[in-house]
Amino acid sequence: MSANDNTKQNNKKRSQWVEVWRRLKKNKMAVLGLVILVILFLAALFADQIANYDTVVIKQNLADRLQPPSGKHWLGTDEFGRDIFARIVHGARVSLRVGIIAVSISIICGGILGAIAGYYGGLLDNVIMRAMDIFLAVPSILLAIAIVSALGPSIINLMIAISISSIPRYARIVRASVLSIRDQEFIEAARAIGASNTRIIFRHIIPNSLAPVIVQGTLGVASAILSTAGLSFIGLGIQPPAPEWGSMLSGGRQYLRYAWWVTTFPGVAIMITILSLNLLGDGLRDALDPRLKQ
C-alpha cells in the first residue's frame, strides 16, 4: 500500500470519528453524561489538592463523629469523624481506576481471543468459545467473589477478578464482528498482497470491530464500578481505612436511622457515576450505529 493510500485511509478514519462526535453532540443526555464524567475525572485527578489524604480522609477525629452536613463539612462526617465529601472525592479515584483498568484488561484479552476465534474458526473457535461459555455459566459477581476469596482482598486482586469475569463478554462481541467482516473485500485484498494472518487480525480486523467494543466498554466500566462497590461492601474489595464508595456504604449502614448522610452521599455518588456512564454508552451506541447514517 502506497503512502498516498495510507494518507487517504487515515483521513477517512478521522472523518468517520468527526462524524461520530457530531452525532454524539446532538444527544443531550449523552453530553450530560460526558460532562458528569469529566467532572468526576477532574475531581479524582485533583483529589489531593481538594482534600489532604492523611489528615482529612484517613485520620480519625472522634470529637466530630456523625456531624450532619454543614459549612465546615459539606456532606457531614462518618462514624470516625472523617469528612465524607473528602472521602467521596478520593473514592472516585479508586473506583474509576479499578473500573477503567479492569475493563481495559478485559477488552484486550477478550478482543484477542474473540478475533482469533472468529478469524480462524473450526476447532480453535470451538475450544475458545466453549471456554468462554463455561465462564458465562457462572454469574460474574460470583466468579469475582471466588477469585478475590482465593487471591485475597486487595486492589490488584480486585482488578484481576473483575477483568477475568468480563473477558467472555468482549470475546463474544469481537467474534461476532469478526465473522461479519472476515470475508469482505478489503480482507481478501490484504491476503492477496501477502499480509500475514497476524497483521490482518491486528491491522484490519480488530480496528474495524471497535465500534461495539467501545460501547460495551463504556457500559462495562459502570458494571466494574458497581462490582467494586459490591465486593467492598461485603469486605472483599478495598480494605478500610482506604476510601471506597462500597466500603463507605457498609460502614455507615448501622447509622442509617439517625445519620442518613453517612450512606446516602456515597450511594448517590455511585448512582450518578453509573448513570453518567450509561447515558454516554447509549449515546455512543446511537452515534456509532451505521444504520442511523443518512
Side-chain angles (χ1 to χ4, degrees):
M1 186 178 291
S2 65
N4 189 34
D5 291 336
N6 280 327
T7 302
K8 289 181 179 179
Q9 188 176 8
N10 291 333
N11 290 336
K12 183 179 179 181
K13 288 181 179 178
R14 248 185 253 115
S15 64
Q16 288 175 342
W17 286 111
V18 169
E19 178 67 15
V20 169
W21 172 243
R22 186 185 67 81
R23 289 176 179 275
L24 184 65
K25 288 193 297 183
K26 290 183 178 180
N27 190 325
K28 294 181 180 180
M29 298 307 294
V31 173
L32 175 62
L34 180 61
V35 170
I36 294 173
L37 281 177
V38 169
I39 293 173
L40 287 171
F41 273 107
L42 290 176
L45 183 64
F46 296 104
D48 291 329
Q49 285 72 35
I50 295 174
N52 184 272
Y53 186 83
D54 293 324
T55 59
V56 180
V57 179
I58 298 297
K59 186 177 180 180
Q60 298 182 12
N61 184 11
L62 297 180
D64 288 337
R65 68 187 301 268
L66 299 178
Q67 294 292 315
S70 63
K72 182 180 179 181
H73 302 287
W74 293 353
L75 303 182
T77 61
D78 64 7
E79 66 274 21
F80 296 110
R82 299 171 299 196
D83 187 84
I84 292 177
F85 173 76
R87 288 180 62 79
I88 287 176
V89 169
H90 280 270
R93 175 179 291 181
V94 175
S95 296
L96 291 173
R97 180 174 61 179
V98 172
I100 292 172
I101 293 177
V103 169
S104 299
I105 294 173
S106 301
I107 289 175
I108 293 172
C109 296
I112 293 174
L113 290 173
I116 292 173
Y119 182 75
Y120 289 102
L123 179 61
L124 186 59
D125 181 21
N126 283 328
V127 170
I128 292 176
M129 297 317 297
R130 295 302 75 78
M132 296 298 102
D133 289 341
I134 292 173
F135 279 101
L136 286 172
V138 182
S140 58
I141 188 65
L142 292 182
L143 181 60
I145 289 173
I147 295 173
V148 173
S149 299
L151 299 178
S154 72
I155 189 169
I156 301 297
N157 294 339
L158 185 63
M159 288 188 285
I160 293 173
I162 294 174
S163 61
I164 290 176
S165 64
S166 302
I167 286 175
R169 184 185 313 162
Y170 299 99
R172 291 174 70 91
I173 291 173
V174 173
R175 176 181 177 272
S177 297
V178 171
L179 289 175
S180 67
I181 65 175
R182 69 177 181 180
D183 294 324
Q184 292 188 13
E185 292 180 355
F186 68 95
I187 300 296
E188 295 296 335
R191 290 196 188 101
I193 63 175
S196 65
N197 289 330
T198 302
R199 177 176 175 80
I200 291 174
I201 290 174
F202 287 97
R203 182 68 177 82
H204 300 289
I205 289 182
I206 290 182
N208 285 282
S209 305
L210 284 180
V213 174
I214 291 173
V215 175
Q216 186 59 48
T218 305
L219 302 175
V221 173
S223 298
I225 291 174
L226 202 57
S227 297
T228 301
L231 290 171
S232 297
F233 185 84
I234 62 176
L236 292 176
I238 310 301
Q239 298 299 298
E244 199 283 324
W245 296 338
S247 62
M248 292 171 69
L249 284 174
S250 179
R253 57 184 171 173
Q254 58 183 315
Y255 307 103
L256 186 59
R257 290 186 177 181
Y258 53 90
W260 54 268
W261 55 88
V262 179
T263 53
T264 298
F265 291 119
V268 169
I270 296 173
M271 182 191 72
I272 291 176
T273 305
I274 302 301
L275 177 62
S276 63
L277 285 164
N278 287 336
L279 291 175
L280 180 59
D282 289 341
L284 285 173
R285 180 196 59 202
D286 295 340
L288 291 167
D289 191 345
R291 291 172 297 180
L292 297 179
K293 290 182 179 179
Q294 299 296 329

